[in-house]
Amino acid sequence: MTRLTRRELALMLGAGALARTAQGNTWKSSMRPGVVGLAEARAALGKPLGPETARLAMTRALAASVGAESGVEAVAALFSPRDVVGIKVNCLAGRVLSPRVELVEALVDLMAEAGVDRGRIIVFERSNRELQRAGFTIRESGPPYRCIGTNNDYDRDPSTSGAIGSCFARMVSTTCSALVSFGVVKDHDLSGVSAGMKNWYGVIHNPNKYHDNGCDPYIADVARHPFIRNKLRLTVLDGVTAQCHGGPAYRQSGIFELGKVAASTDPVAADLWAWREIESERARRGMPTLEAAGRPVRFLASAAEAGLGIDDPERLSLVSA
């Protein structure tokens, strides 16, 4: 059960009122459980995508995920011009295995074209240092967009959600009214998979406490906290270069060229897709499954049970554009 302080409750009520005023909650009608939009995007290891390639891949994946005619239309269905949009990127593994700057900037451009002011779009990670290592430029203000680390700016008091008790970054608790998880497709030495959902470990002050039992149910408990659940609109996964072994840090021997960008309004389905791709590559290499290797992916079932999305492969719908 999630327990909030009076301050947190007031903040959540205020954010909810703002969202209702700005959009009338119409973004919820664009949520498509179990649907993952996919687009081709290929680049040599460690090399950036060209801007046109990045734009096309992002446009196609977003449109497919929402069932829209264009990327701009898809973004407009999910975000209001009055939103402050936080894009949480996962830069733990450095430049080669972090979301590509050009893909993130393609998403920012689409948001701006849909009417979201560039000064209200914030690309963020735990620290400025991690962002810079991944190739991002720190900007306290926009345009073209803000790009900053949370840098230990957490709420003073912790709040609970299921089995976790954490202070959340003010970026998600207070600053942003809408959120995007922008992760990568890679394995994890404890949870099995680190893609879109585990990315949210980067917004709590004590993630080190929540790695027992394959990070289950803790990944789901972080994601179902109102600060995340009530604001998360989209998950994007950079699968141009993926990793099937050695994660969450970069390990060259585990790298493979998946050549995909994925987008989904269902965070569980997005991670389910990533899991399947990782298992497929492991099978191709003659490696054991993640479960056989002692890293079963448990957290997706907990997330589905909490109502965060679809974890049933039979209900997974992959839409390629």
Side-chain angles (χ1 to χ4, degrees), residues 34 197 216-217 219-221 223-224 229 266-269 271-272 275 297-313 315:
M197 291 190 67
D216 179 60
I219 292 175
D221 286 343
R224 71 187 179 98
R229 183 176 196 156
D266 182 333
V268 183
D271 276 20
L272 175 60
W275 179 14
V297 180
R298 298 188 176 105
F299 68 88
L300 289 184
S302 296
E305 186 177 349
L308 299 179
I310 302 299
D311 74 327
D312 182 356
R315 298 173 63 190

Side-chain angles (χ1 to χ4, degrees), residues 34 36 43-44 50 70 76 78 86 90 95 138 142 154 157 182 188 192 196 204 208 216-217 225 249 268 271 281 284:
V36 178
S70 69
L78 299 174
N90 184 339
R95 188 183 290 265
I138 303 302
Y154 295 108
D157 299 316
F182 206 128
H188 190 279
I204 59 175
N208 56 298
D216 179 60
H225 190 287
V268 183
D271 276 20
E281 177 64 16
R284 190 187 70 80

Side-chain angles (χ1 to χ4, degrees), residues 60 140 142 193:
R60 288 178 170 177
E140 294 291 338
V193 170

Side-chain angles (χ1 to χ4, degrees), residues 145-165:
Y145 56 92
R146 296 169 64 189
C147 185
I148 51 178
T150 57
N151 299 319
N152 295 318
D153 182 18
Y154 295 108
D155 288 334
R156 176 180 297 179
D157 299 316
S159 58
T160 62
S161 175
I164 69 126

Side-chain angles (χ1 to χ4, degrees), residues 12-172:
M12 291 306 302
L13 290 173
L18 175 61
R20 286 190 295 274
T21 301
Q23 266 186 299
N25 281 333
T26 57
W27 62 270
K28 291 185 178 179
S29 65
S30 299
M31 299 287 122
R32 302 179 77 193
V35 176
V36 178
L38 299 173
E40 294 280 342
R42 298 189 178 276
L45 180 63
K47 300 296 183 182
L49 293 171
E52 292 182 2
T53 301
R55 166 82 181 209
L56 183 60
M58 187 58 61
T59 294
R60 288 178 170 177
L62 286 171
S65 70
V66 176
E69 292 296 321
S70 69
V72 173
E73 181 181 318
V75 168
L78 299 174
F79 303 96
S80 161
R82 293 185 62 179
D83 274 320
V84 176
V85 183
I87 303 174
K88 169 62 172 71
V89 290
N90 184 339
C91 301
L92 173 69
R95 188 183 290 265
V96 176
L97 200 61
S98 294
R100 284 168 173 73
V101 174
E102 56 273 22
L103 283 173
V104 175
E105 292 186 342
L107 176 59
V108 169
D109 289 345
L110 290 168
M111 287 181 177
E113 291 169 34
V116 181
D117 186 274
R118 289 180 178 273
R120 300 172 73 89
I121 302 172
I122 310 170
V123 175
F124 72 97
E125 179 46 306
R126 294 181 300 180
S127 68
N128 289 356
R129 177 177 174 272
E130 286 178 305
L131 287 164
Q132 290 170 321
R133 284 181 60 232
F136 290 92
T137 300
I138 303 302
R139 299 185 191 89
E140 294 291 338
S141 61
Y145 56 92
R146 296 169 64 189
C147 185
I148 51 178
T150 57
N151 299 319
N152 295 318
D153 182 18
Y154 295 108
D155 288 334
R156 176 180 297 179
D157 299 316
S159 58
T160 62
S161 175
I164 69 126
S166 302
C167 297
F168 280 72
R170 284 171 48 80
M171 184 70 73
V172 298

